[in-house]
Amino acid sequence: MNDISSPPTGKTAAAGRTWRPATQLVRGGMARSGFDETSEALYLTSGFVYPDAASAEAAFANKLQRFVYSRFANPTVANFEERLRLIEGAEAVRATASGMAAVFAALMACVKGGDRVVASRALFGSCQYILGELLPRFGVETTFVDGEDLDQWRDALAPGAACVFFETPSNPGLALVDVQAVCDLAHAAGATVVVDNVFASPLLQKPLELGADVVVYSATKHIDGQGRCLGGAILGTKSFVEDKLQPFLRHTGPALSPFNAWVLLKGLETLPLRMDRHVASAERVARHFEGHPKLAAVRYPFLDSHPQAALARRQMKAGGSIVCFDVADGKDGAFRFLDALAMVDISNNLGDAKSLVTHPATTTHQRLTPEDRARQGIGPGLVRLSVGLEDVEDIIEDVSAALAAV
Amino acid sequence: MALPSPQPVDPVAGLSIDTRLVRGGTRRSHNRETSEALYLTSGFVYPDAETAEAAFAGPEEGWIYTRFGNPTTAMLEDRLALLEGAPAVRATATGMAAVFAALMASVKAGDRVVASRALFGSCHYVVSRILPRFGVETRLVDPGDLDQWRDALRPGAAAVLFETPSNPMIDLVDIAAVAELGHAAGARVIVDNVFATAIEQRPLAHGADVVVYSATKHIDGQGRCLGGAVLGDARFVVEDLQPFLRHTGPTLSPFNAWVFLKGLETLGLRMERHARSAGRIAGFLAEHPKVLDVRYPRLESHPQHAIARRQMRRGGAMLAVTLAGGKAAAFRFANALRLADISPNLGDAKTLIAHPATTTHANVAPEERARLGISDGTLRLSVGLEDADDLLADMEQALAVC
Ligand SMILES: Cc1ncc(COP(=O)(O)O)c(C=O)c1O
Ligand SMILES: Cc1ncc(COP(=O)(O)O)c(C=O)c1O
C-alpha cells in the first residue's frame, strides 16, 4: 500500500504569471495527496496521527505546521478556503458552518462589552437579531442607519465606533450602500468595516478593493449554487483572521463540515459559468417585466429605473441573480402570483440552480413591524425572485402566465 | 426538535435503550426507505404562499431552512433525546459549539459563571477569556472539593459548568451534590458528559439541567465527523437556546448528522467493548512496576471510586496512566506502541494515545498542570475496539522498552 507521507502537490502558475479568476476557481489551492488524485480528496477525519510523540509536541508548540484537529483546520476545508481567498484577493480566510456563523464570528472578533456598532437598517433577519437583540445583552450597542443615506452614516459614526456592518445589495429591497464612501467615514471613526457580500457573490463585487476590511459570505447561496449545503466564510487581513478571528472560531466551534467544504469547493469550479447565466437571465427577466401592468415596479440594480443605478454600475460588475417585483394588488396579488407559478418554487432560499420565489413580508421579514418593513422598502406586494439556471424562456413563460392570473 | 414528520413513527415508547438507539427518531418519507434518508438540502418548498406564511408564523411549523432544522438532523436529535431521557435537544457543528451555545443562552453581561478547573482547553478559553470580554465573570474551583463549590456559589451564579470524568485526569464531580448547590445559587447546571456518554452516565437523572456532548467522540465513534448536542428541558431549548443557534448559525451538516445517526445504532455495543477493554488495560497497567499511577473510574484505587459507583454504570473508554520515568519514558512508550496512534482525539474505534503536558495542556502553566494532577509522565489513553488481547500484548512490549 502507498504510504502518503510525501508532501501535497499541485501545479501553480508559471513564474511571473497569475491565473485568471476562472482558472483559479478550478485549480486554486489544489493540494494533492500521495495518491495523485485528479479531483480533490474528501478528508472525513476529525483527528490526525503523529509519527512520534516529539512531532505531536512540536505541532502543539506551533513549531510544525500541520493538521492537528478538524475544528482548527482540515485539508478539504483548507482547499476550499484557499480557492475562495484567491478569488477574493484577500490575505486570509476562514470557513464556517453557515453564513450566520460567519457574520457572528466576524462581529464577535471586532467588539467587546462597551463597544458600538453602526449598521445599515436593511439587514438579513438573523443579522438584525444579532445586532439588535443578542449583542446588547453583552454590552454592545448598535445604531441603525438607512444604508443609502451618507449623512446618516456620518452622524452615527461621529462619536466613533468599533465596527460597521452592512450588506449591499440588501435583502430583499436591493438597496445599495456606497462601499467606498462608507469605508472612508468608518475608517475615520476607527471602525472595522464588515461587508456581507452574499447578494453580489465574489465575482460581481469586490468590497476589499473598495476599502472594506472584512467580507463575509453565506456559501449556502451562490457558492454551493445548487441548494445542498450550508456554509460560510470570512475574508480579511492576516492579522484580523489569525489574531482576532481564529481564536474565537477555534474555541467556540462553528466549524464547517469537510463534506460541505468539498461540495462548496466543487461548486466554486462552476461559479463563473453559473453567475454568467444567473445574471443574463435575471437582467432579461427584469427588463422583460418592467412596465408590466400587474406590477407597480420592478427592482434590479442594473435597471436604469433603480434609484442607485449609477452607484450599481460603479461598484458592481453586474446586477446579480435577484429581481424584485412590487405586485400592484398588494398581498392578495402577490399570493395569487406565487400560487399560480407552475415551475418556480416557493422557497425562502436563494442563489440556487432552481428559480425560487419568496414573499418577504409574510416569511423572512414577518418579525418586523409594518413600519420597519416599509422603511426597508418591503411592501405587502413585494416578491423576491431568485432567478435560476433553467432556460430563461421557460422562466419568462412561467412568470407571465402567473402574472396573468393575478 | 419535535418538527412534523411525513410519517410520524414512535415505535420506541417504553422500549429499552438498545432498541431506542436503533429505531428512535426514525422518520420515513413516502418512499418507505429502511435506512434513514440523508436530506442534503438547505431549503424547502411550499405548495402555496399561504403555507409559507403559516410556516414562518407558527412555532416551528414545518421545515423552513436547514439552519433552523433539517429532517436528517431532527432524526439524530430525537434519537439523542430518547437515549438521554431529555425533553428537548439541538445538534450543533461541534462539541465546542454546543458548550458555547449552552453558556451564551444562559448568561448576559453582569452574570457569574462557576466552573470546574478541570475543563477541556477550549471550554477553559470560553469561560476565562471570551465571556469576560462581554462582561461575564468566571470563578474556577477544584472539581472534587464541595467546599470550594459552596463558597464560589454563595454570591449566586447564572451558570455552573463541569465535566465528569474530566479530561485528562479522570477526576469526578459529584453531580447530585453540585447540582443542589448550583440550584440553591440560582444557577443553570450544565454538564459536559463527553467522557462518560449517555450509556454510562445520565446527568439529568442526578439533577443537572443541561447536558452537552461532543458527538465527535463516542457518538461518531470512528473519528470521521465533528458535531455536538445540547439537551435540556423544552423551555430552555425552545426559548433560550434555539434563538441563539438559529441566528448565530453553528449548524450541524445533515451529512454529519447522518453519520452520527448511524453511529448511535452501534453506540451500546461499542461502549460495552470500550469499557470492558479499558477496565482490563487499567488493571494490567496498575500492576506494572514501571507505572506510578492509573486513573480509571472503576479501579478501587480511584480516590472517588464511590462517586463512580453511584453515578456511572461502567468506567468508560478513557484512562490516564502516569509512568515512573517521566517525559522520556512516556515518549518512549508512546513511540513504541504499534496499536495505539499518537493523536489527541478520543472516543475512536482506533486506540489513541496523547501526552497532555506537551500537547493538549502545553499552554497551561506548570503549576496549574500540577494542580490538575498532570505530570510529565502522564499519558491519556482512549481505548479502541481492537481485540483487548492484542492491545494488552502491545502495551506489554512497549512498557518493556521504556
Ligand atoms: C444577505 C445574507 N446574509 C447572510 C445570510 C445567512 O447565511 P446562512 O443561511 O448560510 O447562515 C443570508 C441567507 O440566509 C443572506 O441572504
Ligand atoms: C470533554 C470535552 N468537551 C468538549 C470537547 C469539544 O468537542 P469538539 O472537539 O467536538 O468541539 C471535547 C473534545 O474536543 C472534550 O473532550
Side-chain angles (χ1 to χ4, degrees):
Chain A
M1 218 170 70
N2 197 354
D3 182 23
I4 317 182
S5 47
S6 48
T9 61
K11 296 184 175 176
T12 49
R17 302 197 46 185
T18 49
W19 282 334
R20 292 161 185 83
T23 307
Q24 293 284 25
L25 284 167
V26 173
R27 294 198 166 260
M30 186 84 206
R32 293 195 167 109
S33 80
F35 287 119
D36 292 330
E37 63 281 2
T38 312
S39 177
E40 295 78 354
L42 170 47
Y43 288 90
L44 281 178
T45 184
S46 305
F48 299 86
V49 301
Y50 301 83
D52 50 51
S55 308
E57 179 177 28
F60 275 79
N62 286 325
K63 287 184 194 135
L64 189 68
Q65 278 290 321
R66 53 158 290 154
F67 292 103
V68 173
Y69 187 56
S70 287
R71 177 153 36 76
F72 315 159
N74 168 281
T76 308
V77 177
N79 199 340
F80 167 61
E81 289 173 332
E82 178 62 6
R83 199 164 283 182
L84 195 59
R85 185 190 74 75
L86 287 166
I87 198 69
E88 192 73 39
E91 284 180 21
V93 56
R94 288 289 291 155
T96 55
S98 67
M100 285 320 305
V103 170
F104 184 54
L107 291 170
M108 288 293 276
C110 286
V111 301
K112 57 182 188 316
D115 282 347
R116 229 173 118 252
V117 178
V118 179
S120 68
R121 198 181 308 282
L123 289 182
F124 179 66
S126 287
C127 301
Q128 224 148 29
Y129 177 90
I130 288 174
L131 292 168
E133 292 186 42
L134 182 59
L135 288 183
R137 266 203 266 146
F138 294 92
V140 178
E141 293 304 327
T142 296
T143 306
F144 290 100
V145 299
D146 292 329
E148 312 90 297
D149 186 342
L150 283 178
D151 289 334
Q152 287 188 36
W153 282 107
R154 194 172 292 112
D155 288 349
L157 284 163
C163 180
V164 156
F165 182 76
F166 59 85
E167 50 182 84
T168 179
S170 69
N171 176 20
L174 301 180
L176 307 187
V177 174
D178 185 331
V179 181
Q180 201 157 10
V182 171
C183 285
D184 286 346
L185 292 171
H187 290 151
T192 301
V193 180
V194 180
V195 178
D196 182 336
N197 202 34
V198 168
F199 266 45
S201 90
L203 294 181
L204 304 185
Q205 178 170 276
K206 300 277 187 210
L208 298 180
E209 287 173 13
L210 297 167
D213 302 294
V214 177
V215 177
V216 292
Y217 286 103
S218 165
T220 318
K221 314 301 176 198
H222 303 93
I223 293 175
D224 175 306
Q226 292 164 266
R228 298 162 291 190
C229 289
L230 296 180
I234 306 154
L235 299 109
T237 60
K238 216 161 143 56
S239 73
F240 174 77
V241 169
E242 288 176 8
D243 302 340
K244 294 192 164 155
L245 184 66
Q246 174 67 358
F248 181 81
L249 290 176
R250 175 179 173 139
H251 297 297
T252 71
L256 182 65
S257 169
F259 177 84
N260 291 23
W262 185 86
V263 170
L264 300 171
L265 176 66
K266 302 309 277 186
L268 285 177
E269 295 187 354
T270 59
L271 183 64
L273 304 179
R274 291 184 287 106
M275 287 313 296
D276 280 354
R277 169 70 72 83
H278 279 307
V279 162
S281 297
E283 203 164 327
R284 199 51 229 289
V285 167
R287 292 194 195 289
H288 184 91
F289 291 103
E290 189 166 36
H292 190 287
K294 300 279 177 68
L295 298 178
V298 172
R299 296 189 220 177
Y300 187 69
F302 271 43
L303 283 183
D304 292 337
S305 57
H306 191 289
Q308 297 162 292
L311 174 61
R313 287 181 190 278
R314 201 160 67 233
Q315 67 186 22
M316 297 177 75
K317 287 202 184 72
S321 64
I322 309 292
V323 180
C324 288
F325 295 156
D326 287 300
V327 180
D329 200 12
K331 178 182 164 182
D332 285 348
F335 270 39
R336 278 200 301 279
F337 169 63
L338 261 61
D339 293 353
L341 286 163
M343 178 184 78
V344 175
D345 287 310
I346 301 172
S347 180
N348 39 276
N349 202 7
L350 59 93
D352 196 316
K354 296 177 171 61
S355 292
L356 305 175
V357 70
T358 306
H359 183 249
T362 58
T363 60
T364 52
H365 290 68
Q366 187 177 63
R367 274 164 39 93
L368 299 185
T369 61
E371 302 78 62
D372 277 341
R373 277 201 293 270
R375 249 183 123 149
Q376 296 183 31
I378 307 170
L382 185 78
V383 163
R384 184 187 80 189
L385 180 64
S386 170
V387 178
L389 303 183
E390 304 95 341
D391 190 305
V392 67
E393 302 304 333
D394 286 329
I395 299 171
I396 288 175
E397 268 172 35
D398 195 26
V399 170
S400 297
L403 281 176
V406 170
Chain B
M1 292 294 291
L3 286 160
S5 145
Q7 300 289 341
V9 208
D10 182 19
V12 297
L15 296 181
S16 76
I17 292 300
D18 283 339
T19 306
R20 291 174 179 215
L21 284 171
V22 174
R23 294 198 166 259
T26 299
R27 295 157 191 241
R28 293 192 165 121
S29 81
H30 66 280
N31 290 315
R32 313 304 296 158
E33 62 282 1
T34 311
S35 178
E36 294 78 0
L38 170 47
Y39 288 89
L40 282 178
T41 184
S42 305
F44 299 87
V45 301
Y46 304 88
D48 49 52
E50 289 78 1
T51 310
E53 178 177 28
F56 274 82
E60 308 288 344
E61 277 290 324
W63 305 103
I64 296 175
Y65 188 55
T66 288
R67 178 153 37 75
F68 314 162
N70 171 281
T72 306
T73 306
M75 288 192 263
L76 168 69
E77 290 171 333
D78 286 349
R79 193 166 286 181
L80 283 170
L82 286 164
L83 166 64
E84 193 76 37
V89 55
R90 288 291 290 156
T92 56
T94 63
M96 283 319 305
V99 172
F100 185 57
L103 286 168
M104 289 292 279
S106 301
V107 301
K108 56 181 189 318
D111 282 348
R112 278 178 86 241
V113 174
V114 178
S116 155
R117 188 180 303 285
L119 284 182
F120 176 66
S122 287
C123 300
H124 199 275
Y125 188 93
V126 167
V127 296
S128 62
R129 303 280 299 276
I130 296 180
L131 292 183
R133 248 205 300 149
F134 294 92
V136 178
E137 186 206 330
T138 297
R139 267 287 300 278
L140 298 177
V141 301
D142 291 334
D145 187 340
L146 284 178
D147 289 335
Q148 286 189 35
W149 283 106
R150 194 173 293 114
D151 286 350
L153 284 163
R154 192 156 292 131
V160 160
L161 174 70
F162 59 85
E163 49 182 84
T164 179
S166 74
N167 175 25
M169 293 314 295
I170 320 291
D171 288 315
L172 306 185
V173 174
D174 184 333
I175 303 173
V178 172
E180 201 178 310
L181 293 171
H183 291 154
R188 179 174 285 153
V189 177
I190 304 167
V191 178
D192 181 336
N193 203 33
V194 167
F195 268 43
T197 78
I199 299 285
E200 311 298 357
Q201 176 172 281
R202 298 288 164 73
L204 298 181
H206 296 280
D209 302 298
V210 175
V211 180
V212 291
Y213 286 101
S214 166
T216 319
K217 315 302 176 195
H218 301 92
I219 293 174
D220 176 306
Q222 293 164 264
R224 297 161 292 192
C225 290
L226 295 175
V230 185
L231 299 106
D233 65 84
R235 203 200 56 77
F236 164 69
V237 170
V238 172
E239 289 174 25
D240 297 339
L241 184 69
Q242 172 68 354
F244 181 82
L245 291 176
R246 175 180 172 141
H247 297 297
T248 72
T251 315
L252 183 66
S253 169
F255 176 84
N256 292 25
W258 185 85
V259 170
F260 298 146
L261 186 62
K262 304 311 277 184
L264 283 177
E265 296 186 355
T266 59
L267 180 65
L269 301 178
R270 290 185 284 108
M271 288 315 296
E272 199 177 319
R273 167 71 72 84
H274 280 309
R276 186 143 25 88
S277 298
R280 277 185 68 194
I281 289 168
F284 163 77
L285 291 172
E287 300 290 309
H288 200 283
K290 290 189 179 166
V291 171
L292 272 187
D293 183 41
V294 178
R295 288 293 203 93
Y296 186 68
R298 279 308 173 98
L299 280 186
E300 302 270 348
S301 59
H302 192 294
Q304 296 161 299
H305 181 69
I307 298 176
R309 290 232 160 247
R310 206 156 61 229
Q311 67 190 29
M312 294 180 76
R313 199 165 137 219
R314 289 171 302 219
M318 304 299 301
L319 58 91
V321 53
T322 301
L323 300 183
K327 177 179 169 182
F331 271 37
R332 278 197 303 274
F333 177 68
N335 293 346
L337 287 167
R338 287 171 193 183
L339 276 181
D341 288 309
I342 298 172
S343 183
N345 201 8
L346 61 96
D348 197 318
K350 296 176 172 62
T351 297
L352 304 177
I353 192 163
H355 184 249
T358 58
T359 60
T360 53
H361 290 68
N363 288 332
V364 176
E367 316 79 68
E368 182 70 8
R369 273 208 299 272
R371 192 162 177 176
L372 293 170
I374 303 170
S375 75
D376 288 350
T378 303
L379 292 155
R380 184 188 80 186
L381 198 61
S382 169
V383 178
L385 302 182
E386 302 92 342
D387 188 292
D389 289 327
D390 285 339
L391 292 174
L392 284 168
D394 192 34
M395 307 259 155
E396 195 157 17
Q397 66 81 22
L399 280 168
V401 303
C402 80

